[in-house]
Amino acid sequence: MKMQYKFILVCTAMIVFLVAAILGGMYKILYDINVSRTKTIFHDENEIIRVRLESMRSNLQTCANMVTQDVNRVYAEVGKEDISGVSFIRIKNNLFTALDYDTRCFSDVDSILFIDMYGNICSSGNIEATAEQVDQELVSGIPLSGRTSCIQFPMEIRDYFSDEPVLTVGKRIISMKNGQNIGFVFINVRESMISNIFPEMKEGEYQNEFMLVDEEKRIVGYEDADTLLRPIEEREVVSFLNNSMETDILSVAGEDYLMVKTDIEKLGWTLLSGTSVSELTRGITNTAKLTIFIGLFAAVTATILIAVLSKKITRPIHALTVSANHIKCGDFSAVYDTDAKDEVGILAQAFKKMSERIQGLIKAVEEEQEQKRKYEFALIQTQIQPHFLYNTLDLIYIMCESDMAHEGSAVTKALADFYRISLSGGREIITIEEELRHIENYLYIQRARYADIMNFEIDCSPMVMDYKIVKLTLQPLIENAIYHGLKMKDGGGMIQVGGWAEGDDIILSISDNGVGMNPNRIQELLDEEEDENSGHFGLKSVRRRLQLYYGKAASIEIDSEEGTGTKITVKIPKV
């Protein structure tokens, strides 16, 4: 098979594979993003509904308390201590006025019914209830003694209250004067008032459905009135209600639904919200179809272009094979002969010796450059200031002579750790965590020497600790900050070291509040040549070492203001 056909076959296969992988990956990413975003929206909507429903339940209790106070007030106006001696007919109008006022105070309340201990009834709203109906279903459910509290009755169709399911909250009312039972109050909320809390669907959005389920797994709130008060029959939904998961994808009636549930603790209900997965992914599917069409068109177009380009690419190679035999013998004036048959074979024979020689030269040059780079690294990294060691040993001696053995031991430990990391078994590259420990030991020693002029802080994100850095990158910069920034200031010096990730890069910053520099001095520091006998290396050396290892991906920036301080920012790629 000719080279041209091999090239076309390989490139076409790669294009088809890449297009398929990209399309599959895009669909998966879009699907996950859409599902995650929808879950967040559902949780937020459910939380809003939960707060509203619990607020409604609290309002019902507040309303019951108000009715209790109003009923006591009406009875107190009669002026009789014994409740049994109060004529109900006499106070009925006042009771109605109070109940009607309380109903109007709470927009969720549909009606309020009061029944005294003798079966007399007064109510607001369109209620046609008899004492027997109220006694049998509601009054019997409230204790006649003990502490009074609001009791929630299950959602039911109580036709004497409304022709639709109602939520009823009842409470026993006692006299505030003598503790006698006055009667009972029942506050009603229609299911339609509860369903109105559910948000309306906007045009163009996927249809999100909401459902309220009580402890018996009955539907007590839903837009389809025919399903109200019926138990949920789908096993997966019942199982979802019983487990601790907040979100899941369930199969209901042969279709997958994304479900989110939220407990309404004050009502003892559970709020379900969900939408069809097919509805949720409808936009993704349309996008995927369009993308597939574009991908197929691009693949066909690319295949045609590859065929055309491959012919043009292989034509000079075919001609070059004829001159290969002459070039092998040193005849560079040979003319291309395009009648050759096996292009790859002739090229391999013709350029074998030349390529071997060239490869040998290239390899020698690369090895020479590598040895040069290693030598420069080794030379720079061994230039650890001797006077720093001498000064630190003097400091330890003074501490020991001054009965500061504990402080001296701490400085000795810091010095040992400093040189341990400086040497680090000959490694050129260490982790950022090791580099930070190295400068922490250095700063600790310097603070012990210059306690009156400096302090330091190191705050680096844990996310960058395991990435690699060229050893002894930060210590020279901190040394410059101390000797050229803080020592010229009258005390109160602070060095702050920080580190964090930005995209594919790691940012390391060194800030001091020293005397600062003007722009001319900054440029001098960047351009000055280091003296190998000075025992230190400056900004230019650090920048050169970083560029040797990272290339143009690494950089150093200086931001300084005279009298305020200096900030040096080092940027390196994540390695």
Side-chain angles (χ1 to χ4, degrees):
M1 183 182 291
K2 289 188 176 181
M3 182 178 179
Q4 177 184 357
Y5 302 139
K6 292 180 180 179
F7 185 75
I8 294 173
L9 181 61
V10 171
C11 291
T12 302
M14 290 179 62
I15 290 173
V16 171
F17 173 79
L18 288 174
V19 169
I22 292 172
L23 291 177
M26 284 179 57
Y27 185 87
K28 182 65 169 61
I29 292 172
L30 290 174
Y31 176 84
D32 291 342
I33 292 174
N34 210 13
V35 169
S36 177
R37 182 175 63 88
T38 303
K39 287 180 180 179
T40 301
I41 293 173
F42 283 9
H43 277 296
D44 293 342
E45 291 179 341
N46 281 16
E47 184 63 17
I48 294 172
I49 296 172
R50 181 192 68 79
V51 172
R52 180 66 181 86
L53 288 173
E54 292 193 344
S55 176
M56 181 197 71
R57 179 63 176 82
S58 298
N59 288 341
L60 294 181
Q61 186 165 347
T62 303
C63 181
N65 294 335
M66 287 181 61
V67 172
T68 299
Q69 293 178 354
D70 290 339
V71 170
N72 269 274
R73 176 180 52 78
V74 171
Y75 272 83
E77 290 173 353
V78 177
K80 291 186 178 183
E81 291 290 330
D82 188 2
I83 301 299
S84 61
V86 178
S87 171
F88 190 82
I89 295 176
R90 181 180 175 186
I91 65 173
K92 186 172 183 179
N93 287 337
N94 291 339
L95 285 173
F96 174 80
T97 301
L99 296 180
D100 184 70
Y101 174 81
D102 293 339
T103 303
R104 295 176 185 274
C105 287
F106 297 91
S107 59
D108 296 326
V109 175
D110 178 64
S111 61
I112 302 175
L113 180 142
F114 168 76
I115 180 171
D116 67 8
M117 302 304 295
Y118 307 98
N120 299 307
I121 294 176
C122 181
S123 65
S124 66
N126 298 322
I127 295 179
E128 297 179 1
T130 64
E132 290 77 11
Q133 291 173 320
V134 177
D135 280 333
Q136 183 178 1
E137 185 174 354
L138 299 176
V139 173
S140 60
I142 299 180
L144 296 176
S145 61
R147 181 180 178 183
T148 61
S149 60
C150 285
I151 295 177
Q152 178 180 320
F153 293 88
M155 179 82 80
E156 295 288 353
I157 297 178
R158 300 180 177 91
D159 51 7
Y160 47 88
F161 284 155
S162 174
D163 57 355
E164 66 179 271
V166 294
L167 170 67
T168 301
V169 173
K171 182 178 182 181
R172 176 167 54 92
I173 299 178
I174 63 174
S175 172
M176 294 181 181
K177 289 185 177 181
N178 52 30
Q180 286 183 316
N181 289 333
I182 298 177
F184 306 88
V185 60
F186 300 97
I187 304 171
N188 307 297
V189 179
R190 290 183 289 115
E191 186 278 336
S192 57
M193 294 295 296
I194 297 174
S195 297
N196 285 339
I197 296 175
F198 300 154
E200 295 181 0
M201 292 297 100
K202 297 180 182 179
E203 186 177 354
E205 293 184 345
Y206 47 81
Q207 297 301 309
N208 183 16
E209 297 182 354
F210 297 89
M211 179 184 294
L212 286 169
V213 181
D214 65 11
E215 294 177 341
E216 298 176 3
K217 305 300 182 291
R218 298 185 312 154
I219 301 172
V220 294
Y222 190 54
E223 61 182 7
D224 185 3
D226 294 335
T227 62
L228 293 175
L229 304 183
R230 294 182 182 179
I232 294 179
E233 298 176 353
E234 288 79 10
R235 289 185 177 180
E236 287 197 17
V237 178
V238 174
S239 176
F240 177 59
L241 288 170
N242 291 331
N243 63 36
S244 60
M245 295 177 61
E246 293 184 355
T247 62
D248 202 356
I249 295 180
L250 309 178
S251 178
V252 179
E255 188 172 1
D256 289 340
Y257 280 82
L258 174 63
M259 291 280 192
V260 177
K261 71 178 180 183
T262 301
D263 292 329
I264 316 296
E265 295 180 358
K266 288 188 177 181
L267 289 168
W269 294 349
T270 299
L271 173 63
L272 284 177
S273 61
T275 189
S276 169
V277 174
S278 61
E279 179 76 13
L280 182 63
T281 58
R282 181 178 57 188
I284 299 176
T285 303
N286 294 335
T287 303
K289 290 179 180 178
L290 177 61
T291 307
I292 290 173
F293 174 78
I294 296 174
L296 291 175
F297 177 80
V300 172
T301 303
T303 302
I304 295 173
L305 291 174
I306 289 171
V308 175
L309 292 174
S310 65
K311 186 175 182 180
K312 291 183 178 181
I313 292 172
T314 56
R315 184 181 298 160
I317 296 177
H318 175 74
L320 185 61
T321 56
V322 177
S323 62
N325 287 322
H326 298 278
I327 294 174
K328 181 175 60 176
C329 298
D331 184 7
F332 294 97
S333 62
V335 180
Y336 291 131
D337 184 3
T338 59
D339 293 333
K341 303 298 182 181
D342 188 359
E343 301 92 348
V344 176
I346 297 175
L347 283 172
Q349 291 294 327
F351 292 103
K352 182 178 180 181
K353 291 184 178 180
M354 184 173 60
S355 63
E356 287 178 351
R357 292 178 61 190
I358 294 174
Q359 288 176 0
L361 292 173
I362 292 175
K363 185 176 180 180
V365 172
E366 289 177 347
E367 290 177 351
E368 181 180 353
Q369 291 296 324
E370 179 67 14
Q371 289 297 326
K372 181 180 178 181
R373 186 183 69 84
K374 290 183 177 180
Y375 171 77
E376 185 171 358
F377 266 97
L379 178 63
I380 293 175
Q381 294 181 4
T382 54
Q383 292 178 346
I384 302 172
Q385 299 178 2
H387 70 267
F388 171 72
L389 174 61
Y390 304 150
N391 292 337
T392 305
L393 292 176
D394 286 341
L395 174 64
I396 295 170
Y397 171 79
I398 293 172
M399 286 180 171
C400 293
E401 288 293 318
S402 303
D403 293 329
M404 299 172 66
H406 178 73
E407 290 81 355
S409 65
V411 173
T412 303
K413 180 66 169 59
L415 180 64
D417 292 340
F418 173 81
Y419 277 96
R420 183 179 296 110
I421 297 175
S422 296
L423 300 174
S424 61
R427 288 182 293 142
E428 299 175 356
I429 307 301
I430 61 176
T431 64
I432 292 178
E433 182 179 9
E434 291 174 310
E435 180 74 3
L436 291 176
R437 287 205 312 268
H438 181 254
I439 64 169
E440 184 177 12
N441 290 321
Y442 178 78
L443 284 167
Y444 181 87
I445 295 170
Q446 294 289 46
R447 184 174 63 183
R449 291 183 60 197
Y450 304 114
D452 56 331
I453 67 168
M454 69 160 286
N455 203 343
F456 70 92
E457 292 179 355
I458 299 177
D459 183 16
C460 188
S461 170
M463 302 297 292
V464 304
M465 291 299 189
D466 293 332
Y467 289 103
K468 304 296 184 181
I469 189 172
V470 178
K471 184 173 60 179
L472 297 178
T473 295
L474 301 181
Q475 188 269 336
L477 305 180
I478 292 175
E479 180 181 346
N480 286 340
I482 294 173
Y483 288 101
H484 299 292
L486 300 185
K487 287 191 69 175
M488 300 179 182
K489 181 179 180 179
D490 296 329
M494 171 63 72
I495 292 180
Q496 295 176 315
V497 181
W500 62 91
E502 283 187 3
D504 294 330
D505 297 322
I506 295 172
I507 308 299
L508 300 170
S509 70
I510 300 171
S511 304
D512 68 75
N513 59 350
V515 296
M517 297 179 286
N518 57 42
N520 293 332
R521 178 54 182 159
I522 293 174
Q523 193 61 43
E524 290 175 5
L525 286 175
L526 292 174
D527 294 339
E528 69 180 359
E529 295 292 337
E530 285 78 20
D531 182 3
E532 294 184 359
N533 298 320
S534 66
H536 73 279
F537 39 94
L539 289 170
K540 187 174 181 180
S541 291
V542 173
R543 185 171 60 178
R544 185 175 69 251
R545 294 170 62 225
L546 292 177
Q547 290 176 348
L548 281 171
Y549 186 75
Y550 299 109
K552 295 182 179 181
S555 65
I556 296 179
E557 296 181 358
I558 303 176
D559 183 18
S560 184
E561 182 178 348
E562 286 187 304
T564 301
T566 303
K567 179 178 180 180
I568 300 178
T569 303
V570 179
K571 183 179 77 172
I572 59 173
K574 291 180 178 178
V575 179

